[in-house]
Each structure stands twice: as structure tokens, then as C-alpha cells.
Amino acid sequence: MVGTMAKIDDSVKKKVPELRFKGFTDEWEERKLGELASFSKGNGYTKNDLVEFGEPIILYGRLYTKYETVIEKVDTFVNKKDKSIISEGSEVIVPASGESSEDISRASVVGKSGLILGGDLNIIKPVNYIDSIFLALTISNGSQQKEMSKRAQGKSVVHLHNSDLKQVNLLYPKLEEQQKIGSFFKQLDITIALHQRKLDLLKEQKKGYLQKMFPKNGAKVPELRFAGFADDWEERKFDECFSFPVSTNSLSRALLNYDEGDIQSVHYGDILIKYPAIRVI
């Protein structure tokens, strides 16, 4: 799909991205978001209302803890109250509060109807020539994201109101290009999710092997081992098997350079932060 894109000479056209799909050359339009959508708020629910079984709900915290460009599957439920706000599908939701102005500037699309939209959610319903996925993506990235961050107000908790969102300057192309952009990133999200599930399975598999392929509880052999190996494992003190050179090198993190240098070094902090079983330098 990337092969269908082309770089644009930014000196020729100002209101276009650096990279766009071939066949699109028109300059993007710019208008206030308030001219391109209607706005409302979620209502009446917090995480204290969650139950094991009930009606599916989206709470604003999901956009921080389990962010998705398009939300289609929901695993949080509540007992439905009167005057609940129910999704029609394709709404764009933005948190109305958060811990920082950077975190609050993110948006997701409600991908299906019938979901309850909880409190502290700004709800944006774009006009028919603005694609919801494109809108969520552009709100969460680039100049619009920075503009939203600047408009967020507060100290320990920051707030972003619909009145702030209405003032955001939105750059957008024609609907066909918006849909092409939205489809491209949605497919990337699907691919990432598939690989993430594979990664999670591999991590669980590794965890299981680590528990079974090393002796425990006084045993002389592990529970699981490769075919062809039957001898008991030996047991000796560490100092009989390894040498422990004493180093006088007190290299601190302040002296490290991650871009260049004459000598490669492994710092103890790297083991804590980026732990691999085998380190190659």
C-alpha cells in the first residue's frame, strides 16, 4: 500500500502533507472544527458503576489504558440508567479530563451502535463529508493534537471542553482521500493487534517453558527436557563454576553516549530497563 504513495514538494503546495496517496493533488481545506461537526457529552457513569455483566459501556479511561483508533469490542459493562447516552456509530470521542495536556489530546471512533458513552467524554458527530476515522487520527496527531494540548486547562487534572474542540483548526482533504487515509491506518492497527496477540502467546509460552525446563523443589532434573537427555543435573557452588573479576570502573549513566563512542559498554541500568536473556554488542 505504501507503494501507492508519493512525496509532495512542500514548497509548491503548503496545505498538503509530505506524503500522500497517488492521484490526490488538491490542496487541503482548513476550517474550525465547530463548523464541521455537532458536539455533545457522555453522561452519568464512572468506573465505580462497572459490573461483571450488563450493558456495554465506553468510559473515558479506556482511551488511556487501551487506546484504539476504532473501538468495536467492549469488555466493560454497567447496569443501564435513565438518560444514558447511546452510540449511533461513527462518533468521535475525546476525553474531557486527564492527567496531562498531552494525554488528553487523543480521539477514538465508536465503531458500532448501541454502546453506552460514559461521563467525561466529549462526543463529536462530523458532517457527512468528514470521515470519522480520519478525524480521530488527525485530532490525535500533528498540529491539531498540539493545538488541543494548548487548550487543555488545569494543574493536577486537566480538562478539555467541547467549546475548546470547536476552536481547533482542522485541515482536511476531500472525502475520498480521507477514507483512503483512514482505511490505511485501520489496517495497520489490525496488523499490529494480530502481531500483539502472537507476541503475548509467545511470552506465555516462554513463561511456561521457564517454569518446566529448570529443576525446582530439590529435583535433580527438570519436568520438561529435550529428547535424548536423561542424566541428572549436577549441583555445585557458584564460585566453583565461574570467575568473578573485580572491576574498578565506576562508569556512571551521565558519561554514557547512545549515539557514538570508541568503546561499547553494558550499563547495569540497561539490564533493568531493556532485559534480554542474551546481550550482543
Side-chain angles (χ1 to χ4, degrees), residues 4 63 106 112 152 164 166 174 176 195 205 236 240 254 271 274:
T4 64
L63 276 72
R106 66 183 68 195
K112 60 187 295 185
D164 301 313
K166 290 178 182 180
K174 291 181 178 178
E176 185 183 357
H195 284 289
Q205 189 177 42
R236 296 173 69 178
E240 298 177 56
I271 300 174
K274 300 182 285 187

Side-chain angles (χ1 to χ4, degrees), residues 147-166:
E147 188 177 348
M148 285 170 59
S149 295
K150 290 178 182 177
R151 293 182 184 278
Q153 303 169 5
K155 293 183 179 179
S156 57
V157 177
V158 296
H159 300 280
L160 190 65
H161 306 290
N162 277 328
S163 56
D164 301 313
L165 292 171
K166 290 178 182 180

Side-chain angles (χ1 to χ4, degrees), residues 10 19 46 58-59 64 78 91 97 112-113 119 122 126 152 169 208 216 219 234 239 243-244 270 278:
D10 195 42
L19 186 66
T46 68
I58 300 175
L59 296 174
Y64 299 120
V78 293
E91 296 95 338
S97 61
K112 60 187 295 185
S113 61
N122 296 309
N169 293 298
K216 57 184 177 181
E234 293 187 39
D239 59 5
S243 61
F244 298 87
D270 293 329
I278 301 173

Side-chain angles (χ1 to χ4, degrees), residues 15-276:
K15 291 184 179 179
V16 296
E18 182 182 350
L19 186 66
R20 65 195 301 192
F21 290 98
K22 289 181 179 178
F24 297 101
T25 57
D26 293 339
E27 196 166 343
W28 288 26
E29 293 189 44
E30 182 174 15
R31 292 171 68 181
K32 296 287 186 186
L33 184 54
E35 301 175 44
L36 300 168
S38 58
F39 297 79
S40 58
K41 287 263 304 195
N43 185 43
Y45 297 89
T46 68
K47 63 181 179 181
N48 295 326
D49 294 307
L50 294 179
V51 295
E52 189 173 357
F53 302 103
E55 299 295 323
I57 185 171
I58 300 175
L59 296 174
Y60 81 97
R62 182 190 180 100
L63 276 72
Y64 299 120
T65 59
K66 195 177 179 181
Y67 175 74
E68 301 163 282
T69 303
V70 181
I71 300 173
E72 294 179 329
K73 294 182 180 180
V74 177
D75 55 5
T76 46
F77 307 93
V78 293
N79 294 318
K80 188 176 178 181
K81 302 177 183 178
D82 293 336
K83 298 182 179 179
S84 296
I85 306 300
I86 310 297
S87 70
E88 298 175 355
S90 297
E91 296 95 338
V92 175
I93 53 176
V94 179
S97 61
E99 293 184 359
S100 72
S101 58
E102 290 78 16
D103 286 342
I104 204 172
S105 304
R106 66 183 68 195
S108 291
V109 176
V110 182
K112 60 187 295 185
S113 61
L115 302 178
I116 298 173
L117 302 179
D120 258 2
L121 279 176
N122 296 309
I123 304 169
I124 307 172
K125 192 73 173 178
V127 294
N128 59 10
Y129 54 87
I130 298 295
D131 181 72
S132 294
I133 299 178
F134 171 83
L135 179 58
L137 287 166
T138 194
I139 282 179
S140 304
N141 298 278
S143 59
Q144 284 82 15
Q145 194 270 344
K146 292 178 181 177
E147 188 177 348
M148 285 170 59
S149 295
K150 290 178 182 177
R151 293 182 184 278
Q153 303 169 5
K155 293 183 179 179
S156 57
V157 177
V158 296
H159 300 280
L160 190 65
H161 306 290
N162 277 328
S163 56
D164 301 313
L165 292 171
K166 290 178 182 180
Q167 298 304 312
V168 170
N169 293 298
L170 183 70
L171 273 171
Y172 62 95
K174 291 181 178 178
L175 181 59
E176 185 183 357
E177 187 173 1
Q178 295 176 43
Q179 293 170 336
K180 195 101 172 176
I181 293 170
S183 177
F184 174 73
F185 282 101
K186 185 176 181 180
Q187 187 58 50
L188 282 178
D189 283 346
I190 291 170
T191 303
I192 290 168
L194 288 172
H195 284 289
Q196 184 61 53
R197 282 196 284 272
K198 290 180 181 178
L199 177 61
D200 292 341
L201 287 172
L202 283 172
K203 286 182 176 180
E204 285 300 311
Q205 189 177 42
K206 178 183 176 181
K207 183 179 178 181
Y209 283 141
L210 286 171
Q211 291 173 348
K212 293 178 180 291
M213 294 186 71
F214 291 89
K216 57 184 177 181
N217 300 325
K220 292 291 186 180
V221 295
E223 181 181 346
L224 183 67
R225 62 197 307 192
F226 290 103
F229 297 95
D231 295 338
D232 284 357
W233 288 26
E234 293 187 39
E235 183 175 12
R236 296 173 69 178
K237 297 290 186 183
F238 249 46
D239 59 5
E240 298 177 56
C241 302
F242 307 104
S243 61
F244 298 87
V246 178
S247 173
T248 58
N249 180 10
S250 58
L251 182 65
S252 69
R253 181 168 291 278
L255 297 175
L256 297 180
N257 187 321
Y258 289 93
D259 297 319
E260 58 183 17
D262 297 326
I263 301 174
Q264 291 180 305
S265 171
V266 177
H267 192 269
Y268 79 94
D270 293 329
I271 300 174
L272 301 176
I273 298 170
K274 300 182 285 187
Y275 171 74

